[in-house]
Amino acid sequence: MHPGPAERSRADLFAPRRPSERIIGSVLMACALISIFVTVGIVLVLAVQSMGFFREVSLAKFLGEREWTPLFANAHFGVWPLVCGTLVTSAIAILFALPLGLLAAIYLSEFATDRTRRVLKPLLEVLAGIPTVVYGYFALTFVSPLLQKVVPGMGTFNALSAGLVMGVMIIPIIASLSEDAIYAVPPSLREGAFALGAGKLRTVLKVVVPAAFSGIAASVLLGVSRAIGETMIVAVAAGQQPQFTFDPRQAIQTMTAYIVQVSKGDTPTGTLAYHTIFAVGLSLFVMTLVINVFAHRLKQRVLKGAG
Amino acid sequence: MSAIPAPTVPQPAQADNALTGKVRGAGAERAFRALCWIALILPLLLLAVLLASTVRDGMPRLTWDFLTSYPSRKPELAGFLPAIVGSLWLMGLTAVIAIPLGLGAAIYLEEYARPGKLTSLIELNISNLAGVPSIIYALLGLELFVRIMSMGRSILAGAATLALLLLPMVIMASREALRTVPRSLREAAYALGGDKWASIRQVVLPMSLPGVLTGIILSLARAIGETAPLLTIGAVTYLAFVPSSPTSAFTAMPIQAFNWISRPQKGFQVDAAAGIVVLLVLMLLMNGVAIWLRARLQRRINW
């Protein structure tokens, strides 16, 4: 039974009128649901394959040992050397990218003219779009030889050049998101500071930046997450030696670089070596997920504050 | 680390505007401003150095022969052809998979979804997926497409993996574009008796086309440089033929470049630089097309 026009409520006005409308609606919904299946797929694949790993290697060994030599005859499965390599390169990247990115953001939002901003911001974002294998090439053939001339004991493959170049890649992420956060600080706060006799510098450092703090923190967290998950720069320039060291001159191996190294070698399915990449992948996924969730919360706080 | 830059000499305070000038610390402000400017220019200079040094390194191999021949054990004979063709295949197939799914999801979220638990779950999920490292997608693709769906180490498996990787980006860009179409145009379509799908197909989609296309091309330009997922899925690094079907074994531009970088011989470094130049040119070309398209199509629309 079809209701007459008078009986149609306001909500019904946009309700499907032809049966094909319903089909179209469900097809589109299925497309949106794919994203959920992707997440479920990732979690399932990582969990199931990691179980294969943890059936043979205890969690205590995975988290307790300090050596990672899964492909040797005398195999050790302590994940810490990989985590350590990941953290060292990421820390270098952030220590390099944070000051530059933040200062660039302050310049773009507080000092630059509209025209300068319109030219420089997209130019800066080109940096984030350059394929990471190109950055790897740059680190290995340009930055490492340069560092070898300056720093004694620097290897051809080292954590420092990979970390620095990764920092260059991350600068646009920090600069762009921090700029949004700084830009969202209401002008009334700046005007209040000026009215109290503060100069521009004091206003920026003591009022604007603290007010934008949660947005800036979110941008840094997203930068960290990108650094931890970044693969090709470290695979090319940081070496492939899992070492428990915090010396940035040494060759190390990150979690991502290990996954690439093993999967590239056409490891047969079902072997322990095949399972290790999923166990490492699961650890990596958990680390980045935790950071991303925190960053997302901080960003939400900015949006609420601005609206 | 050789020299510490000389500290900027504080300038006498100068009023550059009536409110903020002539206050204490104007010299410090100038110094800070200069520091910020350097922070912005330094990465851009590095970008320039990166591009210049790569072009300089690759110059000797940037010939027509390089573009049209197959890889070789001898660096001076090695060519880029299978990698270029492989990348084009991947782009095409990735687009075929990612565009309908991404656009469909965007239309659903913008036009059909009612606010509620499911919708916010999907939205949260998409923003989380955007932050998942690409190597994790590689593990998903390796298990799901290569093993379970037994596509093998083929172009199709690589493209499917890239498509999932791009999906969040395509969805977010398309939603932005759909959102720019004014509500009044949808209402006009309804007033003319159109139903929901008709209004979307005949009014909303054509109107948002420049934005949608720009977003899609930009994400495909990202995909052309993705290396880690393809390497893990099993792109080969030595291919003596041009891939001819979606089930062929494949290589791609960044994979070939990575392979050359990892070789000890000096000559292959030159090949790598030349390959990278080709990759960057294609990528920048796609970015340029996206920008041109947006400018061109936007001019035609007058609300």
Side-chain angles (χ1 to χ4, degrees):
Chain A
M1 221 181 73
H2 221 66
E7 288 149 74
R8 281 193 162 206
S9 70
R10 206 178 114 35
D12 273 341
L13 198 59
F14 299 112
R17 287 171 227 174
R18 292 181 292 154
S20 63
E21 275 284 295
R22 280 185 195 286
I23 298 171
I24 290 166
S26 358
V27 169
L28 293 173
M29 187 171 174
C31 291
L33 286 177
I34 295 253
S35 74
I36 304 248
F37 295 140
V38 173
T39 306
V40 172
I42 288 175
V43 172
L44 268 183
V45 164
L46 291 178
V48 168
Q49 295 293 326
S50 299
M51 289 239 278
F53 174 78
F54 286 117
R55 226 176 280 140
E56 291 182 54
V57 178
S58 70
L59 190 64
K61 272 190 180 165
F62 188 65
L63 296 176
E65 289 190 352
R66 286 174 56 165
E67 265 184 278
W68 178 257
T69 52
L71 308 177
F72 291 3
N74 176 24
H76 288 280
F77 296 97
V79 77
W80 293 112
L82 295 181
V83 173
C84 185
T86 304
L87 293 182
V88 168
T89 47
S90 304
I92 295 167
I94 285 299
L95 287 178
F96 184 60
L98 173 59
L100 286 176
L102 186 54
L103 287 175
I106 292 175
Y107 186 83
L108 284 174
S109 65
E110 298 291 308
F111 296 122
T113 61
D114 240 20
R115 236 180 61 201
T116 322
R117 198 206 332 262
R118 266 208 303 275
V119 176
L120 289 185
K121 207 178 171 191
L123 213 54
L124 201 63
E125 271 155 13
V126 171
L127 279 172
I130 291 200
T132 53
V133 70
V134 178
Y135 278 120
Y137 171 83
F138 189 59
L140 186 67
T141 62
F142 190 88
V143 179
S144 283
L146 210 65
L147 289 173
Q148 277 176 319
K149 282 186 196 145
V150 185
V151 185
M154 182 69 87
T156 311
F157 297 101
N158 59 75
L160 184 58
S161 72
L164 286 178
V165 171
M166 199 146 82
V168 176
M169 182 197 77
I170 288 169
I171 287 171
I173 296 169
I174 295 187
S176 183
L177 291 169
S178 296
E179 207 243 297
D180 292 343
I182 291 171
Y183 201 77
V185 173
S188 59
L189 282 181
R190 293 182 187 86
E191 285 154 11
F194 290 148
L196 290 172
K200 184 107 184 175
L201 179 61
R202 279 172 76 100
T203 308
V204 168
L205 291 183
K206 302 248 161 114
V207 177
V208 177
V209 169
F213 182 77
S214 52
I216 294 170
S219 78
V220 174
L221 283 183
L222 288 175
V224 172
S225 162
R226 268 296 279 282
I228 288 176
E230 169 32 51
T231 310
M232 292 321 291
I233 300 176
V234 287
V236 170
Q240 311 213 314
Q241 296 169 31
Q243 290 195 66
F244 194 78
T245 174
F246 290 96
D247 182 353
R249 295 172 305 178
Q250 304 255 345
I252 47 96
Q253 187 167 43
T254 64
M255 302 165 86
T256 52
Y258 173 76
I259 295 174
V260 164
Q261 187 204 353
V262 170
S263 57
K264 207 177 51 171
D266 207 4
T267 317
T269 321
T271 57
L272 187 57
Y274 183 76
H275 288 315
T276 55
I277 60 176
F278 289 92
V280 172
L282 181 64
S283 320
L284 180 71
F285 180 69
V286 171
M287 281 165 76
T288 50
L289 185 68
V290 169
I291 296 172
N292 288 342
V293 168
F294 270 112
H296 188 75
R297 290 231 175 114
L298 282 171
K299 240 175 27 183
Q300 290 300 112
R301 199 189 290 175
V302 176
L303 290 180
K304 263 180 216 152
Chain B
M1 310 276 144
S2 55
I4 300 157
T8 317
V9 181
Q11 305 266 315
Q14 242 180 9
D16 46 7
N17 93 41
L19 254 179
T20 57
K22 279 198 177 152
V23 285
R24 269 187 307 142
E29 185 199 310
R30 279 168 164 276
F32 181 71
R33 199 181 164 132
L35 192 69
C36 289
W37 192 78
I38 291 168
L40 182 62
I41 293 303
L42 192 68
L44 296 177
L45 276 179
L46 284 173
L47 175 68
V49 171
L50 164 67
L51 295 179
S53 80
T54 312
V55 170
R56 194 203 57 204
D57 291 353
M59 219 46 194
R61 290 291 295 139
L62 280 172
T63 58
W64 188 250
D65 266 359
F66 178 73
L67 297 180
T68 53
S69 46
Y70 294 93
S72 160
R73 267 172 244 287
K74 292 193 182 131
E76 60 278 10
L77 294 178
F80 212 41
L81 182 66
I84 298 173
V85 176
S87 277
L88 293 179
W89 264 105
L90 278 170
M91 282 305 93
L93 278 179
T94 304
V96 166
I97 303 169
I99 294 174
L101 288 181
L103 194 53
I107 293 173
Y108 174 78
L109 288 171
E110 278 305 306
E111 311 284 336
Y112 284 82
R114 305 211 170 137
K117 278 218 175 97
L118 181 66
T119 306
S120 51
L121 179 71
I122 294 175
E123 285 181 336
L124 183 70
N125 187 53
I126 289 171
S127 76
N128 266 330
L129 278 180
V132 171
S134 60
I135 192 86
I136 300 289
Y137 283 96
L139 292 177
L140 173 68
L142 180 64
E143 193 55 30
L144 184 64
F145 299 129
V146 177
R147 314 270 175 197
I148 296 175
M149 293 167 87
S150 56
M151 293 179 188
R153 298 174 174 262
S154 63
I155 300 181
L156 190 60
T161 308
L162 283 186
L164 295 188
L165 178 69
L166 293 194
L167 208 52
M169 237 183 300
V170 174
I171 294 175
M172 288 194 279
S174 305
R175 287 187 71 180
E176 289 288 327
L178 292 174
R179 225 172 287 156
T180 59
V181 177
R183 188 157 174 76
S184 56
L185 287 177
R186 294 184 179 80
E187 282 161 2
Y190 294 139
L192 291 173
D195 54 24
K196 192 159 190 135
W197 180 240
S199 92
I200 291 169
R201 199 166 50 90
Q202 297 184 352
V203 177
V204 178
L205 273 182
M207 288 293 172
S208 56
L209 197 63
V212 170
L213 276 180
T214 311
I216 287 169
I217 295 174
L218 287 180
S219 27
L220 285 175
R222 264 283 301 276
I224 207 171
E226 279 294 343
T227 319
L230 298 179
L231 211 55
T232 305
I233 291 297
V236 292
T237 43
Y238 182 91
L239 202 61
F241 57 89
V242 170
S244 57
S245 83
T247 52
S248 295
F250 71 104
T251 187
M253 289 191 281
I255 304 290
Q256 185 69 67
F258 171 69
N259 175 247
W260 283 332
I261 293 169
S262 340
R263 302 236 194 145
Q265 299 99 311
K266 257 282 179 263
F268 281 118
Q269 301 292 322
V270 179
D271 289 338
I276 283 172
V277 171
V278 175
L279 171 63
L280 284 178
V281 165
L282 269 176
M283 207 196 81
L284 293 177
L285 213 63
M286 286 173 82
N287 280 297
V289 167
I291 292 165
W292 173 78
L293 202 69
R294 179 159 49 186
R296 198 181 121 85
L297 291 175
Q298 240 159 21
R299 228 178 304 137
R300 245 192 270 152
I301 300 167
N302 299 307
W303 314 123

